[in-house]
Structures are given as structure tokens and as C-alpha cells.
């Protein structure tokens, strides 16, 4: 009963966020404090996933330049939530990938971030969400962290480019192509010709819009079309 009540408290708003449906800032603000502590009351994948969706959206919507204190509070709450979720569901590679994003923002020691990235890859080597979250860490990494995680990044890029459905993943593919350090065009040119042609037909190489390829932090897809392995 407790789990059902907690899940119901978040699931409706989380579903609207994940599907890009409208919701009010006031509704999100009311839910966030409870989301940060949801897993203190019940250890549940459903509750944790919904709470993380709310927390990451709250992070997305905050501007540290305009309200650093509020942003810092949200960051701390999101980090604590992700660590509780990792303890609740330690085999969920997506949680560890999101935690690596937070660890990079709060400048945790590099070995800690690398260990989190490795664990995420081990648990979820080919899932869409964790892959893109790890690639977001790589995009934002300083040279030392980029070098330390280069092998993970290479494997993640190879998995994504080899298997992601071009049409359904067009936005993500364009986002990856916009990151110079990923050397996207060279990598795609090395794929089988039919794979390259599929990307070309899908419009991956078309001129992107001005703001394309630079998502806000954490604004990564959670529920893509099914592909790769669970």
C-alpha cells in the first residue's frame, strides 16, 4: 500500500515530463521536496524512476547564473536521491550513468567518476538512456577525465552507431555529430556502406538547426524506441 501511494504521487507528473506534455512549474515545485526523500520511505524502482525524472527536470529548468543557491540545493537533493536509488537498485546501470553526470558537475575526484562510469557500462552496456548519459559525461569532461574514460566512450559510440535506428534516433544522432570530440563523421564513414546510406537517408548529415546538438544538462531521452538489449 505504501509503495502504491508513493508511486501514484509521482507517476502522473513523471509521465507528463517523459512524454513532453505540459505541466505547471508550481506542480513540479510542490513535488520536488517529496521526490528528494521518496526512497527514504520505500525502496522501489517505480518510485525511484519517477522521483529521478522529477529531480532531473528540476535541474534542467534551473539557471545557476540567476539563482545559484536554488540550483545548488537542487543539485544536492538530486545527488542524494540518485545515491539512495543506487543503493535501492544497485544493478540499474541508468542510475549509475546519471550519478556520473552529477559527480562531474560537483567535481568529484576523477577516479570516483571513472569507477561510476565503468559500473554503468558493466551493468547497462547497450541501453539507450545509459549510453547517452555516459556520452554526455564524455562531452562535458575536461581533458583528463576524457582521457581516463576514452575506452568507455569509444565502445559506447561504436554500440550506438552500429545499432541505433537512424530515423527514430535522428535527434540523438545529430546531437552526437555536433560534438567535435566524438569524431562522428569519421566513425560513420568506417561503418558498412549500407549503414552510412541509412544515416544519410534519415537526414543525419543535413544542416542542423542553430540550437540543435546542445541540450541542457540531463535533458536526455529516457524512453526511446526499443533497440539493443535490456
Amino acid at each position: 500500500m505504501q509503495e502504491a501511494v508513493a508511486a501514484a504521487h509521482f507517476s502522473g507528473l513523471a509521465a507528463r515530463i517523459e512524454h513532453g506534455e505540459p505541466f505547471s512549474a508550481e506542480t513540479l515545485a510542490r513535488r520536488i521536496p517529496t521526490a528528494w526523500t521518496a526512497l527514504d520511505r520505500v525502496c522501489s524502482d517505480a518510485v525511484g524512476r519517477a522521483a529521478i525524472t522529477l529531480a532531473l527536470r528540476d535541474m534542467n529548468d534551473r539557471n545557476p547564473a540567476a539563482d545559484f543557491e536554488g540550483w545548488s540545493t537542487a543539485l544536492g537533493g538530486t545527488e542524494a536521491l540518485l545515491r539512495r536509488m543506487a543503493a535501492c537498485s544497485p544493478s540499474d546501470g541508468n542510475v549509475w550513468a546519471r550519478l556520473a553526470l552529477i559527480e562531474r558537475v560537483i567535481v568529484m575526484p576523477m577516479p570516483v567518476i571513472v569507477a561510476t562510469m565503468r559500473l554503468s557500462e558493466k551493468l547497462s552496456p547497450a541501453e539507450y538512456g545509459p549510453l547517452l548519459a555516459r556520452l554526455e559525461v564524455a562531452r562535458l569532461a575536461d581533458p583528463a577525465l576524457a582521457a581516463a574514460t576514452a575506452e568507455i566512450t569509444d565502445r559506447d559510440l561504436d554500440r550506438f552507431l552500429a545499432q541505433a535506428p537512424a530515423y527514430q534516433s535522428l535527434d540523438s544522432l545529430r546531437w552526437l555529430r555536433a560534438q567535435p570530440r566524438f569524431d562522428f563523421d569519421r566513425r560513420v564513414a568506417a561503418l558498412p556502406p549500407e549503414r552510412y546510406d541509412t544515416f544519410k537517408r534519415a537526414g543525419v548529415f543535413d544542416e542542423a538547426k542553430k540550437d540543435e546538438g546542445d541540450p541542457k544538462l540531463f535533458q536526455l531521452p529516457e524512453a526511446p524506441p526499443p533497440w539493443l538489449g535490456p
Side-chain angles (χ1 to χ4, degrees), residues 5-176:
V5 172
H9 189 67
F10 297 111
S11 59
L13 179 56
R16 293 203 298 274
I17 291 172
E18 290 171 355
H19 293 112
E21 298 174 2
F23 62 93
S24 70
E26 292 77 11
T27 299
L28 180 59
R30 286 197 306 269
R31 293 287 190 268
I32 282 299
T34 310
W36 287 344
T37 59
L39 293 174
D40 292 339
R41 301 192 308 277
V42 55
C43 180
S44 158
D45 286 349
V47 172
R49 284 195 301 270
I52 288 170
T53 295
L54 267 61
L56 294 182
R57 179 54 187 257
D58 184 50
M59 288 291 304
N60 246 11
D61 290 349
R62 292 182 180 273
N63 182 350
D67 179 17
F68 181 80
E69 183 176 351
W71 179 83
S72 181
T73 298
L75 179 64
T78 303
E79 181 199 5
L81 172 61
L82 282 165
R83 293 196 184 282
R84 286 193 293 272
M85 186 61 182
C88 181
S89 299
S91 62
D92 189 339
N94 190 47
V95 173
W96 293 104
R98 307 289 165 157
L99 183 57
L101 271 171
I102 292 283
E103 289 177 342
R104 195 217 62 83
V105 174
I106 63 178
V107 197
M108 289 289 283
M110 186 174 67
V112 174
I113 303 174
V114 173
T116 304
M117 291 276 280
R118 286 176 177 162
L119 182 56
S120 173
E121 184 193 25
K122 179 181 179 180
L123 294 170
S124 299
E127 282 186 75
Y128 193 99
L131 270 175
L132 285 184
R134 292 194 298 268
L135 289 170
E136 175 72 341
V137 176
R139 179 181 80 90
L140 298 168
D142 60 36
L145 180 59
T149 56
E151 292 185 1
I152 297 173
T153 301
D154 283 343
R155 289 191 293 267
D156 283 342
L157 284 166
D158 287 345
R159 293 179 188 117
F160 198 94
L161 295 178
Q163 300 184 64
Y167 289 91
Q168 297 94 324
S169 302
L170 180 58
D171 288 344
S172 296
L173 288 163
R174 285 181 169 175
W175 171 74
L176 292 173

